[in-house]
Amino acid sequence: MTDTDIYVREGVDELAAHYRAAIQLLGEDPDREGLQKTPMRMAKAMQVLTRGYQQDAHQVLRDALFAEKYNQMVIVKDIDVFSLCEHHMLPFYGKAHVAYIPNGYITGLSKIARVVDIFSHRLQVQERLTQQIKDCIQETLKPLGVMVVIEAKHMCMQMRGVEKQNAITTTSDFSGAFNQAKTREEFMNLLRGESKRI
């Protein structure tokens, strides 16, 4: 069993059959040596890339919830994001930056990255992904505020359509204390490394 096999679930054989049919419809021979195992590989890969549907991001945060009187900004930045655009089923990839201001409770830092991972491993648009991450943290931790910024490149823009290789899409969403421009500015300055260093 490989590491990716742990994400294989019911329906993989049916999914592989559909991929076999798709390969044939594209004009290829699915019985050709190089393609014989491709439908199953594609089916397993797709189940890995959409594993977020079987995971509960709220529970991930609840499992590592700690009472703490810290009430300053907590930032986890440069979290790798890999997702599938639901419009063309092509990848988009980049970085997520997440900040929250605790209100009596904190969570394990790795759990913030896990929340990003869970929502990104679903069919997505970047705008909704940004909002889902923010909403999950706000609803579960009930902090004074949350802000999420995602910067990503979209293969549907790079490989097809306008074919622009260097276009970066930036999305943001925020709540609570981050409705204040000063708090958002502090977050953005910290992202850019403009804060006073010790």
Side-chain angles (χ1 to χ4, degrees):
M1 179 183 283
T2 66
D3 289 343
T4 57
D5 283 339
I6 63 172
Y7 298 111
V8 173
R9 54 191 187 269
E10 189 178 345
V12 69
D13 292 321
E14 187 178 359
L15 192 56
H18 286 294
Y19 279 126
R20 178 184 167 82
I23 289 169
Q24 202 159 19
L25 287 168
L26 291 171
E28 258 291 2
D29 176 10
D31 292 318
R32 183 165 62 77
E33 183 182 7
L35 290 172
Q36 287 175 2
K37 295 182 180 179
T38 298
M40 182 55 73
R41 289 189 189 110
M42 291 175 71
K44 287 182 176 181
M46 191 57 65
Q47 288 195 339
V48 170
L49 295 174
T50 59
R51 66 181 183 257
Y53 289 118
Q54 273 62 53
Q55 298 171 320
D56 185 343
H58 294 82
Q59 191 59 47
V60 164
L61 293 177
R62 284 193 293 267
D63 285 345
L65 204 57
F66 308 103
E68 191 63 53
K69 292 183 178 178
Y70 185 82
N71 62 357
Q72 299 299 313
M73 198 179 299
V74 176
I75 300 175
V76 183
K77 65 179 185 176
D78 294 331
I79 303 167
D80 289 325
V81 171
F82 300 94
S83 194
L84 284 177
C85 169
E86 67 182 34
H87 297 149
H88 301 99
M89 299 284 279
L90 288 171
F92 65 92
Y93 59 95
K95 301 287 185 183
H97 316 290
V98 180
Y100 75 99
I101 301 174
N103 185 23
Y105 290 92
I106 60 171
T107 190
L109 297 175
S110 68
K111 306 309 179 188
I112 300 296
R114 286 267 290 134
V115 168
V116 172
D117 187 68
I118 288 169
F119 286 116
S120 64
H121 280 80
R122 300 177 181 183
L123 302 183
Q124 280 289 10
V125 294
Q126 185 175 330
E127 296 88 340
R128 184 173 64 239
L129 173 61
T130 306
Q131 187 174 35
Q132 286 178 332
I133 295 166
K134 184 266 294 180
D135 287 346
C136 178
I137 295 169
Q138 184 64 52
E139 292 164 9
T140 310
L141 298 184
K142 296 181 173 34
L144 299 176
V146 181
M147 185 163 178
V148 178
V149 174
I150 297 180
E151 303 166 295
K153 289 187 173 185
H154 291 248
M155 297 297 281
C156 58
M157 288 180 64
Q158 294 178 307
M159 293 180 67
R160 56 160 300 283
V162 294
E163 296 186 7
K164 299 302 179 191
Q165 306 306 310
N166 298 308
I168 297 174
T169 301
T170 302
T171 50
S172 68
D173 198 5
F174 49 85
S175 63
F178 288 95
N179 283 298
Q180 300 174 25
K182 183 179 179 182
T183 309
R184 292 198 305 275
E185 184 180 354
E186 179 186 350
F187 173 48
M188 298 308 293
N189 286 341
L190 287 166
L191 284 188
R192 291 189 293 261
E194 294 176 5
S195 60
K196 192 180 292 185
R197 297 186 181 276
I198 296 175

